């Protein structure tokens, strides 16, 4: 969306120039995403995580068709709502699927790949929008044709079609298969994922046993999955997951994503579309260190350092805007009420601080806000709990998408101070409630959260999975394979 905001084709055809109409168009997609996130667990639990992702791809294609064919604001909003339903389903279930198939040693890296893929998608789509903006005489031509926005909206269908077809070659989640009592398939998938197809591999057998024991314990409690969400020991995690997604929105990053063109216009930048594109490149580049090192430095440091860094940068941007800005008197910049005029060095400083803000988010909260909620819940309620967390993300995303244009107009530079304060609150909240989860299996999260240890104290190193694997290797533990696979598994004796 951000790449077409600065084109005459878009503003003239849909008759928008900031304000509530643009806010309504922008928030239509996160509104649909909220619905999709809430519905995602029903599809994922009944038909599998894999099928839910494929359903999302089909919905995205339908939404893209509607947007490309939009002949007014109404159809554009409907198309964005439909596409948003896909985003809600995919953003809730993809991290769950990744967390359930990944080894614990690189789970953060695998789930972070989703965020990296998102940043690549944002970058590629932005440049497609930027290139399309030069059709029909360029973005400043008052008679520019609708190809400037129809081309990028139509191209959106291509990655969805690739996702739909590509998922046929991926396995179902072994933990979902176990929940359906399809134990033979579960063991075979674990062998393919972690043992190069060898069902006798100690790590495969250890993980199989841990999944089996965790599922047996959940079933012995005989609590419905919805009721389990409200259990005292679980509701803390549900609130934490929802809060992390909330803070990921209130940190201010999506202000930069959605309305960076307005921010650059307020800073007096000559070519805001081109200057804004640099932040998308930085977003891609700086997500890579998080992918490589999140499983080394951990989730907790990422959340704390990220909140503190973004708070500091937003306070600086707000202070510079407030000190050197003035009421906008340029009629060509009708979407903003505050602008920097005659202070090129300050404008450059604001652009630099905006870039640093994007870098800070990309290397900390960007990947961690998706990784953490996907790994802290037990198998029985994981899809439902993550769908609630993701719904929180999209609810706040929707509210901000609608509120930011009028906020930029009414309180201008003070908006940065508001988001800076949110980051300060997030820092305190995460310090008090978010324990470290790196190096632990999904089945060990009950131990991490129910031990009574304060979040700021270190979690003991080592993993139960490693101990089980060692016992199997030493012949001190027997693991019984299901059904027809028993003859393939070498049983060790006590």
């Amino acid at each position: 969306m951000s790449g077409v905001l600065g084109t005459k084709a878009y503003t003239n055809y849909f008759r928008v120039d900031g304000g509530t109409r643009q806010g309504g168009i922008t928030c239509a997609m996160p509104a649909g995403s909220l619905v999709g996130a809430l519905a995602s667990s029903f599809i994922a639990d009944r038909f599998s995580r894999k099928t839910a992702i494929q359903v999302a791809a089909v919905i995205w294609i339908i939404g893209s068709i509607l947007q490309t064919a939009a002949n007014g604001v109404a159809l554009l909003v409907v198309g964005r709502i439909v596409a948003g339903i896909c985003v809600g389903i995919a953003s809730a279930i993809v991290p769950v699927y990744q967390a359930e198939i990944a080894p614990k040693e690189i789970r953060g890296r695998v789930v972070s790949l989703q965020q990296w893929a998102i940043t690549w998608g944002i970058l590629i789509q932005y440049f497609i929008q930027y290139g399309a903006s030069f059709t029909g005489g360029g973005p400043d031509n008052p008679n520019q044709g609708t190809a400037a926005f129809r081309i990028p909206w139509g191209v959106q269908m291509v990655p969805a079609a690739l996702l739909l077809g590509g998922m046929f070659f991926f396995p179902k989640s072994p933990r979902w298969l176990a929940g359906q009592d399809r134990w033979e398939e579960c063991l075979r998938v674990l062998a393919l994922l972690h043992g190069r197809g060898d069902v006798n591999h100690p790590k495969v057998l250890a993980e199989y046993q841990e999944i089996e024991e965790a599922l047996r314990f959940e079933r012995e409690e005989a609590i419905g999955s919805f009721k389990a969400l409200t259990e005292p020991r679980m509701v803390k995690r549900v609130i934490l997951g929802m809060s992390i997604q909330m803070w990921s929105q209130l940190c201010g990053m999506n202000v930069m994503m959605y309305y960076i063109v307005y921010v650059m216009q307020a800073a007096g930048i000559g070519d805001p579309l081109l200057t804004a594109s640099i932040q998308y490149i930085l977003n891609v580049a700086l997500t890579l260190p998080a992918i490589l090192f999140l499983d080394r430095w951990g989730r907790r440091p990422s959340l704390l350092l990220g909140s503190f860094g973004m708070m500091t940068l937003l306070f600086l941007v707000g202070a510079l805007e407030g000190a050197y800005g003035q009421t906008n008197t340029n009629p060509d910049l009708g979407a903003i009420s505050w602008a920097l005029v005659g202070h090129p060095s300050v404008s450059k400083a604001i652009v630099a601080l905006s870039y640093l803000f994007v870098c800070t988010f990309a290397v900390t909260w960007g990947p961690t806000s998706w990784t953490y909620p996907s790994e802290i819940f037990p198998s029985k309620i994981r899809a439902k709990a993550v769908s609630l967390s993701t719904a929180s993300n999209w609810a706040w995303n929707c509210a901000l998408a609608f509120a930011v244009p009028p906020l930029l107009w009414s309180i201008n530079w003070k908006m940065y101070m508001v988001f800076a304060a949110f980051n300060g609150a997030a820092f305190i909240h995460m310090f008090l409630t978010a324990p470290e989860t790196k190096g632990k299996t999904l089945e060990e999260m009950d131990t991490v959260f129910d031990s009574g240890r304060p979040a700021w104290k270190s979690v003991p190193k080592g993993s139960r999975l490693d101990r089980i694997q060692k016992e199997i290797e030493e012949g001190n533990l027997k693991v019984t394979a299901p059904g027809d696979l028993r003859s393939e598994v070498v049983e060790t004796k006590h």
Side-chain angles (χ1 to χ4, degrees), residues 134-361:
F134 290 99
T135 62
D140 297 323
N141 181 6
N143 298 316
Q144 186 182 30
T146 60
F149 56 81
R150 296 196 194 278
I151 290 173
W153 292 349
V155 170
Q156 294 178 127
M157 290 179 265
V158 176
L162 293 174
L163 177 63
L164 175 63
M167 285 304 297
F168 283 108
F169 300 96
F170 282 75
K172 287 183 168 66
S173 162
R175 288 168 171 86
W176 180 83
L177 290 169
Q180 306 300 308
D181 289 323
R182 294 161 63 174
W183 292 102
E184 293 180 30
E185 293 176 73
C186 170
L187 184 56
R188 288 192 185 279
V189 171
L190 286 173
L192 289 171
L193 292 172
H194 308 313
R196 297 183 178 180
D198 181 11
V199 295
N200 292 305
H201 195 289
K203 185 172 184 178
V204 171
L205 296 175
E207 189 157 5
Y208 174 84
Q209 172 154 321
E210 193 171 38
I211 292 172
E212 188 179 36
E213 288 178 354
L215 190 60
R216 186 188 307 121
F217 176 76
E218 290 173 12
R219 288 176 173 175
E220 285 174 356
E221 287 188 315
I223 299 175
S225 57
F226 282 106
K227 186 178 180 181
L229 289 170
T230 61
E231 289 290 301
R233 56 183 285 268
M234 204 56 61
V235 74
K236 293 187 299 182
R237 278 185 255 181
V238 173
I239 293 173
L240 177 59
M242 294 179 69
S243 297
I244 286 176
Q245 291 286 18
M246 176 189 73
W247 292 128
S248 74
Q249 293 298 319
L250 294 179
C251 73
M253 180 60 177
N254 272 334
V255 176
M256 300 296 181
M257 288 290 115
Y258 283 139
Y259 300 116
I260 186 64
V261 173
Y262 294 163
V263 174
M264 295 303 177
Q265 287 175 344
I269 301 302
D271 188 348
L273 281 174
L274 182 60
T275 309
S277 68
I278 298 173
Q279 72 153 355
Y280 295 100
I281 298 172
L282 293 172
N283 196 20
V284 171
L286 270 296
T287 301
L288 189 57
I291 293 173
L292 297 175
F293 300 110
L294 184 59
D295 288 305
R296 292 188 185 180
W297 66 46
R299 286 59 158 158
R300 185 175 167 83
S302 295
L303 295 173
L304 296 177
L305 292 175
S307 293
F308 184 81
M310 289 187 289
M311 175 189 69
T312 303
L313 292 166
L314 287 174
F315 273 135
L316 289 173
V317 171
L320 289 174
E321 287 266 13
Y324 294 97
Q326 65 184 48
T327 301
N328 177 39
T329 57
N330 185 347
D332 293 331
L333 301 179
I336 57 175
S337 63
W338 193 262
L340 286 170
V341 180
H343 298 286
S345 59
V346 178
S347 296
K348 292 176 182 177
I350 288 175
V351 171
L353 290 170
S354 298
Y355 289 160
L356 286 173
F357 176 88
V358 171
C359 292
T360 304
F361 178 87

Side-chain angles (χ1 to χ4, degrees), residues 379-395:
S379 180
K380 186 175 184 178
I381 66 167
R382 185 172 298 123
K384 291 181 176 62
V386 174
S387 75
L388 289 175
S389 299
T390 308
S392 171
N393 177 296
W394 292 114

Side-chain angles (χ1 to χ4, degrees), residues 300 372 429-436 452-459:
R300 185 175 167 83
Y372 200 93
H429 187 192
M430 293 302 101
F431 179 82
L432 295 174
T433 63
E436 184 56 70
R453 184 182 296 106
W456 57 87
K457 289 194 174 181
S458 300
V459 176

